């Protein structure tokens, strides 16, 4: 790797790779953590036989978090040692802290270069983010098909635009405190959490830049508080399912420190947040009285921002034409298979409104037409 050098060690009997790497740290040098991402590269008979030249057979049907390793007693074969390959790496992912009662682990340790003292948390993360976005930009220009739905995400969030945000210092990367969410962390420095940066930072390299003291990086977890760093065992956590469990600004966990991307609020860095409230209805007399009361309650409660009715209809009704009720009209949702389930209209109407009007408010509040505003929301400030 460009920033690190990998060295290989054999742990003592029953020892973990984490302990072996720490013990091998040169005197006065930076701590040398276990490189968990290298276990898959070491999990081959040819590699293990080089590491343990006195070994006899290579056994490939065992599995466990302490493998690959060397063992003297496996399977009752006590004469001569044998090297063991982890046959189920996907199910039993090798861990830095795993210990085998009768085995000697083969470990990869990462010798970190000392970071310049003037380099801040933001500088380190920004450097990695820029490098990764440059690679994504070049790959997309070549027409490379990336994994899953990543192409769709990068089509909506163009790498060149994000790179410009970093270069022009429109974003600041920071580490939240233990148990703190990114919304509060960003607000604490007068900025607003920007959720799209979680997708950019959801990888081991970005987390390593932010938390260089980490010993390992795990891709086995998922949740709305990830990516993050878990100090208790020096582990960086990548969100394994970012599409299903997408990270949120409000996500938090008592044992993690989140990696946050913060930017200026749309109203300006020193202004109050701006709001826009929307609700969806169909054109019918049933909804007419709810619409009028919604407007009345919104005004009486002094809710900040604007209120817009999202009307699912083929043409504007008299409330929209007269200007009595601010309205955005979109055709009802129609499924090609003939599925006319009415509740589909709500997400469809919101989607059309977002794409056609491109609202600029900081916060969009989606409510139901039969809700009532009693007083101003305490968070609307």
């Amino acid at each position: 790797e460009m920033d690190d050098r990998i060295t290989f060690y054999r742990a003592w009997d029953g020892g973990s790779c984490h302990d072996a790497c720490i013990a091998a740290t040169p005197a006065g040098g930076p701590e040398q953590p276990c490189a968990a991402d290298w276990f898959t590269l070491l999990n081959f008979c040819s590699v293990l036989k080089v590491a343990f030249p006195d070994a006899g057979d290579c056994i490939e049907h065992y599995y466990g978090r302490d493998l690959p390793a060397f063992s003297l007693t496996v399977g009752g074969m006590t004469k001569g040692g044998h090297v063991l390959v982890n046959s189920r790496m996907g199910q039993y992912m090798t861990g830095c802290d795993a210990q085998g009662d009768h085995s000697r682990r083969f470990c990869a340790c990462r010798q970190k270069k000392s970071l310049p003292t003037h380099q801040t948390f933001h500088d380190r993360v920004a450097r990695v983010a820029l490098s990764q976005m440059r690679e994504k930009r070049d790959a997309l220009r070549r027409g490379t098909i990336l994994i899953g739905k990543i192409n769709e995400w990068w089509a909506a969030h163009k790498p060149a635009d994000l790179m410009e945000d970093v270069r022009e210092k429109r974003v600041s990367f920071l580490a939240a405190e233990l148990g703190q969410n990114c919304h509060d962390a960003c607000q604490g420095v007068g900025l607003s959490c920007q959720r799209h940066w979680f997708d950019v930072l959801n990888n081991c390299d970005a987390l390593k830049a932010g938390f260089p003291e980490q010993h390992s990086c795990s891709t086995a977890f998922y949740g709305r508080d990830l990516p993050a760093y878990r100090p208790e065992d020096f582990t960086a956590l990548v969100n394994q399912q970012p599409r299903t469990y997408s990270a949120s600004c409000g996500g938090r966990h008592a044992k993690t420190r989140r990696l946050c991307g913060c930017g200026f609020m749309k109203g300006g860095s020193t202004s109050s947040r701006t709001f826009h409230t929307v609700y969806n209805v169909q054109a019918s007399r049933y909804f007419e009285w709810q619409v009028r009361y919604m407007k009345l309650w919104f005004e009486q409660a002094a809710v900040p921002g604007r209120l817009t009715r999202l009307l699912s209809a083929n043409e504007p009704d008299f409330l929209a034409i007269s200007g009595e009720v601010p309205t955005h009209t979109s055709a009802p949702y129609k499924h090609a298979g003939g599925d006319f389930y009415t509740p589909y209209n709500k997400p469809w109407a919101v989607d059309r409104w977002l794409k056609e009007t491109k609202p600029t408010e900081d916060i969009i509040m989606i409510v139901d037409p039969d809700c009532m505003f009693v007083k101003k929301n305490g968070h609307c400030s």
Side-chain angles (χ1 to χ4, degrees):
E1 297 187 7
M2 292 182 64
D3 294 333
D4 304 327
R5 188 175 70 178
I6 301 298
T7 53
F8 304 101
Y9 298 95
R10 294 176 294 189
W12 52 87
D13 290 347
S16 70
C17 283
H18 166 70
D19 293 337
C21 290
I22 297 302
T25 299
E31 193 172 88
Q32 186 169 258
C34 165
D37 50 317
W38 274 77
F39 287 129
T40 54
L41 303 177
L42 306 180
N43 195 41
F44 295 94
C45 289
S46 56
V47 176
L48 292 170
K49 285 187 174 181
V50 172
F52 301 96
D54 296 330
D57 296 329
C58 179
I59 303 175
E60 300 183 75
H61 60 271
Y62 282 83
Y63 54 88
R65 296 186 68 247
D66 61 310
L67 303 183
F70 169 84
S71 179
L72 286 171
T73 60
V74 63
M77 296 180 288
T78 57
K79 294 182 179 180
H82 304 274
V83 286
L84 311 177
V85 169
N86 188 349
S87 64
R88 298 186 185 180
M89 184 72 79
Q91 294 174 271
Y92 298 89
M93 183 66 70
T94 305
C96 287
D97 292 323
Q99 296 172 285
D101 293 336
H102 306 288
S103 64
R104 294 189 66 187
R105 298 195 57 188
F106 184 38
C107 311
C109 307
R110 180 172 275 115
Q111 282 191 352
K112 291 181 171 292
K113 289 185 177 180
S114 299
L115 292 169
T117 55
H118 67 276
Q119 205 170 36
T120 65
F121 183 97
H122 169 83
D123 292 335
R124 300 196 304 266
V125 176
R127 175 173 168 270
V128 171
L130 282 171
S131 175
Q132 293 178 340
M133 288 188 289
R134 191 177 299 112
E135 292 178 5
K136 293 289 191 307
R137 179 200 62 191
D138 295 343
L140 291 172
R141 285 176 177 175
R142 294 192 299 268
T144 303
I145 302 299
L146 303 177
I147 299 173
K149 295 185 177 180
I150 295 180
N151 277 66
E152 297 177 15
W153 194 92
W154 286 108
H157 305 82
K158 294 179 173 56
D161 293 342
L162 296 176
M163 291 166 65
E164 183 180 357
D165 285 344
V166 175
R167 294 193 185 103
E168 296 300 320
K169 302 188 183 304
R170 291 194 286 261
V171 59
S172 292
F173 300 116
L174 57 85
E177 297 298 328
L178 194 67
Q180 185 183 39
N181 64 45
C182 284
H183 170 75
D184 292 340
C186 293
Q187 194 173 53
V189 293
L191 299 174
S192 178
C193 170
Q194 295 183 331
R195 192 166 62 86
H196 61 272
W197 289 107
F198 295 132
D199 290 271
V200 177
L201 304 175
N202 190 42
N203 61 82
C204 289
D205 288 338
L207 286 163
K208 181 176 70 174
F211 304 98
E213 66 272 22
Q214 70 178 54
H215 293 162
S216 62
C217 181
S218 173
T219 58
F221 297 88
Y222 55 86
R224 302 197 186 280
D225 62 309
L226 304 182
Y229 172 62
R230 191 169 60 200
E232 69 175 13
D233 59 358
F234 305 98
T235 302
L237 305 174
V238 172
N239 190 348
Q240 183 194 63
Q241 300 183 35
R243 302 278 77 80
T244 305
Y245 297 92
S246 57
S248 70
C249 289
R252 58 178 292 278
H253 192 283
K255 294 185 177 182
T256 63
R257 298 187 65 188
R258 299 197 60 188
L259 175 54
C260 311
C262 310
F264 293 116
M265 298 176 184
K266 292 183 175 65
S269 60
T270 60
S271 70
S272 298
R273 288 177 291 175
T274 54
F275 296 81
H276 200 139
T277 303
V278 299
Y279 62 99
N280 171 243
V281 296
Q282 285 75 54
S284 70
R285 288 192 176 276
Y286 172 78
F287 284 113
E288 182 181 330
W289 69 269
Q290 293 186 9
V291 169
R292 284 196 165 102
Y293 273 113
M294 171 65 76
K295 184 171 182 290
L296 174 65
W297 293 328
F298 183 86
E299 294 172 350
Q300 285 184 343
V303 179
R306 293 188 290 166
L307 176 69
T308 298
R309 176 182 64 148
L310 306 182
L311 178 64
S312 295
N314 290 314
E315 58 184 12
D317 63 359
F318 70 97
L319 291 174
I321 294 173
S322 66
E324 179 181 349
V325 177
T327 301
H328 176 270
T329 304
S330 60
Y333 179 82
K334 291 183 180 180
H335 191 274
D339 184 358
F340 297 104
Y341 184 51
T342 304
Y344 290 158
N345 284 330
K346 183 176 180 179
W348 175 252
V350 172
D351 179 73
R352 300 314 308 164
W353 175 71
L354 290 171
K355 290 179 178 177
E356 292 171 11
T357 68
K358 296 179 172 55
T360 59
E361 287 81 5
D362 295 306
I363 295 177
I364 306 299
M365 297 191 292
I366 303 175
V367 299
D368 289 328
D370 56 355
C371 290
M372 180 180 186
F373 289 101
V374 177
K375 62 181 180 179
K376 179 180 176 181
N377 189 324
H379 295 289
C380 296
S381 59

